[in-house]
Amino acid sequence: MNMTNAEDILNREIARVNLHLPALRPTLSQLLAEEEPSVKLRDGSYHYFRRSELEYLRDLVDDDEPERLKVPIVLEISTLHRGYFRVRGRVEVKVIDKILGTYSILEEKDEELYPRYLLPRIRRVLPTTTTYAFIAE
């Protein structure tokens, strides 16, 4: 088997395990405006968000940020950073930092790597508004 075949197989497998991801990620503002906040997933099914969780997220961010916070927040599990997961997006990183108690107003970042052992802590607080994505790099 040549490398391109192996790569194709790996990419197809990663796409398969990521079928639970949303086709599009709406903003927190959009979801709060919905009667039944939900998102269509890549596999065609729907994922529903807990309103209380969305309101908790709104309380964590500044007044202008619900328009910029994409939900669900994606926790990226990468082949490149073993033992870590990545979060991308300034407001998304801010939310995760606040939950972990590591947020600093002086050091806002567009992406951050976190030790993987912190995943359960985040998922306990945000079970419906976070999701995993598996990435080969």
Side-chain angles (χ1 to χ4, degrees), residues 16-117:
R16 190 185 64 74
V17 298
N18 283 327
L19 283 175
H20 67 283
L21 291 173
L24 295 169
R25 288 169 55 220
T27 66
L28 178 58
S29 295
Q30 290 169 318
L31 290 170
L32 285 167
E34 291 181 13
E35 200 169 304
E36 277 193 65
S38 65
V39 66
K40 188 174 186 177
L41 304 180
R42 290 177 182 178
D43 68 4
S45 66
Y46 283 84
H47 172 76
Y48 293 87
F49 299 99
R50 276 193 206 133
R51 182 161 298 279
S52 60
E53 220 173 298
L54 295 171
E55 290 166 354
Y56 173 68
L57 284 175
R58 185 184 56 210
D59 292 344
L60 286 178
V61 299
D62 296 336
D63 291 344
D64 63 325
E65 292 175 327
E67 284 85 53
R68 297 201 325 265
L69 177 60
K70 298 281 193 176
V71 182
I73 296 170
V74 177
L75 311 172
E76 297 179 7
I77 311 293
S78 163
T79 53
L80 189 60
H81 307 286
R82 291 185 187 274
Y84 290 86
F85 68 97
R86 180 173 43 214
V87 175
R88 296 181 204 236
R90 183 167 295 225
V91 186
E92 291 80 354
V93 169
K94 177 180 184 174
V95 164
I96 300 303
D97 281 350
K98 281 190 168 188
I99 288 169
L100 296 174
T102 58
Y103 175 69
S104 165
I105 196 163
L106 301 174
E107 199 185 343
E108 293 197 341
K109 298 165 285 228
D110 292 323
E111 72 175 56
E112 184 63 79
L113 281 176
Y114 301 94
R116 206 178 281 184
Y117 70 82

Side-chain angles (χ1 to χ4, degrees), residues 120-134:
R121 203 158 125 202
I122 293 162
R123 294 286 291 170
R124 229 181 343 272
V125 176
L126 301 174
T128 71
T129 55
T130 56
T131 191
Y132 298 109
F134 300 95

